[in-house]
Amino acid sequence: MRSYKLIGLALFFSFRLFSGAEAQDMKKAPHDTIFGQGEVNPYSQFFSGQTYLAMLSHKDDIWNSSIGNVTFEPGARTNWHKHSGGQILLVLAGEGRYQERGGDVCVLRPGDVVRIPLDVEHWHGAAPGAWFTHISVETNLPDNQTTWLEPVGDADYR
């Protein structure tokens, strides 16, 4: 009888451990967008904080762009980076931040459009206390290459 209790406890704690990890990785934004939040971002190594990605259109031989719906938890942000073919951000929900290297931090709200020129170093992400969702349009594919740089320091972020 004792071995059944031990097995039961082991199963219980294993379930709690794995379900707790999933809950930490996959939170639900308090806002909805027509496209859905997506899964944990597979490019997480280039972000600070947790983000989620729902690809809406992948680059292929026909379309000259790639489009993704990106959701940021509060305080999450990209590293500094640049796109050789530029980028367009369409803000859907929440409150975000955008900054070009050497410039001021801009507050982003639903309906804002950010047109990022070719090879301009920048970052974007959520405000410190708010979730944030934008559509990212990678333009001028297939030649548009993203160059990921260092994480955004707290001094730049704040």
Side-chain angles (χ1 to χ4, degrees):
M1 183 68 157
R2 183 176 174 168
S3 63
Y4 288 121
K5 286 183 181 179
L6 289 175
I7 292 171
L9 283 173
L11 289 172
F12 172 77
F13 284 114
S14 295
F15 174 76
R16 295 288 297 171
L17 176 67
F18 290 115
S19 64
E22 285 180 12
Q24 286 178 345
D25 289 344
M26 190 66 178
K27 296 178 185 170
K28 181 74 173 118
H31 55 256
D32 288 323
T33 67
I34 191 169
F35 302 109
Q37 180 172 303
E39 300 297 322
V40 171
N41 194 334
Y43 302 101
S44 295
Q45 71 268 30
F46 304 117
F47 291 74
S48 296
Q50 188 67 268
T51 62
Y52 307 90
L53 175 63
M55 285 306 297
L56 306 177
S57 179
H58 293 274
K59 69 177 181 177
D60 58 24
D61 294 336
I62 298 172
W63 301 105
N64 198 23
S65 67
S66 171
I67 303 170
N69 184 66
V70 186
T71 299
F72 298 76
E73 288 186 7
R77 56 200 181 260
T78 68
N79 284 6
W80 286 101
H81 63 286
K82 60 184 179 177
H83 306 274
S84 62
Q87 182 182 34
I88 300 171
L89 305 177
L90 308 170
V91 179
L92 296 180
E95 183 179 311
R97 301 289 186 265
Y98 169 78
Q99 182 182 25
E100 294 180 0
R101 180 96 59 189
D104 294 330
V105 175
C106 301
V107 174
L108 300 178
R109 294 191 174 85
D112 287 344
V113 176
V114 181
R115 294 171 53 103
I116 305 163
L118 285 60
D119 289 318
V120 169
E121 292 183 10
H122 67 283
W123 66 267
H124 39 96
W131 285 76
F132 176 61
T133 302
H134 68 54
I135 298 293
S136 170
V137 181
E138 306 298 318
T139 54
N140 299 304
L141 295 178
D143 298 324
N144 187 346
Q145 300 297 314
T146 302
T147 302
W148 291 102
L149 306 166
E150 76 277 8
V152 174
D154 290 339
D156 284 325
Y157 176 68
R158 306 251 180 229

